[in-house]
Amino acid sequence: MPSVELSTDVALGVAIPSRNARGRIARLATTVDTILAAHEYPAVIERLLAEALTLTALLGALLKEPQGQLTLQAQTEGGIIDLMVCDYLGGELRGYVRHDPERLAGAPAEPTLKDLFGTGYLAITFDQPLAKERYQGIVPLEGRNLGEAAQSYFAQSEQIPSLVRLAAEKRDGHWFAGGLLLQHLPEGEEGRERLHTRLDHPDWPHVAILGGSIKAEELTDPELPLDDLVWRLFHEEEELRTLAAIPLSRGCRCDPDYVRSVIARFPADEREAMVGDDGLIRVDCAFCSSSFPIEPKELS
Ligand SMILES: [Zn+2]
């Protein structure tokens, strides 16, 4: 079996059995660069979306079903950003942000989540169709960054001690992003008593300190294979396992036929109003910015 390149556009599972810890590490290069290139966002928004996509990859890589879907959607009130959506399906990622450029221009250079989202929540939806499992968690968008918000969500709402680190950096005109998610999951993971609600279990602080020593430049360095990075952090552990790697890529599921069928359902007078100067109705995909020109005659 050909080995998967473990440097970029990949998520790797990690387990430290003797410490009851497991997690995922991911790095995005072409994937995130292609997604961002489809939009013209200011750097602050690019970085935010790059980190959100990395979080999406880390959480998506936790899904047990290959066709499971994970969606992050920010619900905000009074913020510079009024919508952010990212999703993951079978290793494919996509995402976009809707924001007010004028208000962003007046924001601090390193805005907090509150600056960006106002009173905001991130809805995380895990969807596993085969098992008919659908689960949604709500993360308050508070703290300095998305990693912090996700980490406190796991600790407080899920009662799972967790470490989340996200980083994104533009190098030579291209975006690179990386992230690490570690969780303490002793016995009780599958419905038995949750022993890990004790946040003072000695194994966890040890793992959290080692994992927390990861540097942003290590997460984003495209030359540093993820298995080497994991080894660098945890080589002194009794046992360190890496699980099957999941290749990541940009993927959009927009479909011209679907777009046409949606437009066809509008009343004729509303469709008329959508026709542009060139005589066509143009619908753009919010995720990938693809444009779908529709001939009005085709609809009637
Ligand atoms: Zn699309």
Side-chain angles (χ1 to χ4, degrees):
M1 203 173 82
S3 67
V4 177
E5 167 67 49
L6 287 178
S7 296
T8 55
D9 299 302
V10 67
L12 184 66
V14 180
I16 308 163
S18 62
R19 304 281 183 186
N20 297 305
R22 62 131 202 217
R24 299 288 182 270
I25 187 164
R27 190 179 294 123
L28 299 169
T30 311
T31 304
V32 75
D33 208 41
T34 317
I35 293 171
L36 295 177
H39 306 278
E40 282 177 17
Y41 296 138
V44 167
I45 302 289
E46 286 192 320
R47 176 181 304 277
L48 177 80
L49 184 55
E51 291 190 359
L53 288 162
T54 308
L55 180 60
T56 305
L58 292 172
L59 298 174
L62 291 175
L63 291 164
K64 294 186 192 87
E65 290 179 13
Q67 284 310 303
Q69 183 171 336
L70 181 118
T71 310
L72 291 190
Q73 178 157 351
Q75 292 157 358
T76 73
E77 214 171 282
I80 293 168
I81 292 172
D82 73 329
L83 187 63
M84 179 175 80
V85 187
C86 296
D87 72 18
Y88 171 106
L89 176 68
E92 289 189 348
L93 292 162
R94 59 180 187 168
Y96 71 98
V97 175
R98 209 166 63 197
H99 73 287
D100 180 339
E102 277 175 34
R103 285 188 57 198
L104 183 66
E110 288 187 25
T112 62
L113 294 181
K114 185 142 186 75
D115 293 331
L116 291 172
F117 293 101
T119 308
Y121 295 88
L122 195 62
I124 304 179
T125 312
F126 291 86
D127 216 330
Q128 311 218 69
L130 293 179
K132 296 198 169 63
E133 256 178 45
R134 191 178 161 89
Y135 170 77
Q136 190 173 76
I138 301 289
V139 184
L141 283 163
E142 290 163 1
R144 281 176 305 171
N145 53 50
L146 281 180
E148 237 173 51
Q151 183 171 304
S152 55
Y153 160 74
F154 282 120
Q156 287 161 22
S157 303
E158 304 271 286
Q159 311 257 292
I160 302 172
S162 301
L163 177 98
V164 182
R165 289 287 184 275
L166 302 172
E169 196 194 357
K170 205 169 191 177
R171 297 174 182 229
D172 301 326
H174 296 284
W175 278 97
F176 295 89
L180 173 67
L181 163 70
L182 287 171
Q183 301 192 304
H184 190 227
L185 292 169
E187 303 150 77
E189 182 181 0
E190 300 298 338
R192 279 176 286 163
E193 189 194 354
R194 283 192 155 184
L195 300 178
H196 57 275
T197 51
R198 286 178 47 212
L199 294 169
D200 58 351
H201 194 291
D203 280 340
W204 175 247
H206 177 82
V207 172
I209 287 167
L210 295 180
S213 72
I214 200 165
K215 297 185 189 78
E217 56 267 32
E218 291 175 314
L219 282 169
T220 55
D221 181 358
E223 306 290 322
L224 176 57
L226 294 181
D227 48 348
D228 289 357
L229 177 51
V230 168
W231 179 251
R232 195 183 272 184
L233 296 172
F234 297 113
H235 64 276
E236 285 181 0
E237 295 306 305
E238 194 179 297
E239 190 186 355
L240 173 64
R241 283 191 219 152
T242 54
L243 317 175
I246 301 174
L248 301 171
S249 61
R250 184 211 75 122
C252 201
R253 301 189 290 285
C254 51
D255 166 7
D257 291 336
Y258 176 74
V259 171
R260 201 171 291 125
S261 74
V262 171
I263 299 298
R265 271 180 257 144
F266 281 89
D269 56 332
E270 288 185 33
R271 291 202 310 252
E272 193 114 342
M274 296 176 194
V275 177
D277 294 340
D278 56 1
L280 298 171
I281 298 173
R282 289 188 181 273
V283 179
D284 295 336
C285 172
F287 283 102
C288 68
S289 301
S290 293
S291 183
F292 300 102
I294 300 167
E295 189 79 58
K297 279 191 300 246
E298 287 175 36
L299 300 173
S300 42

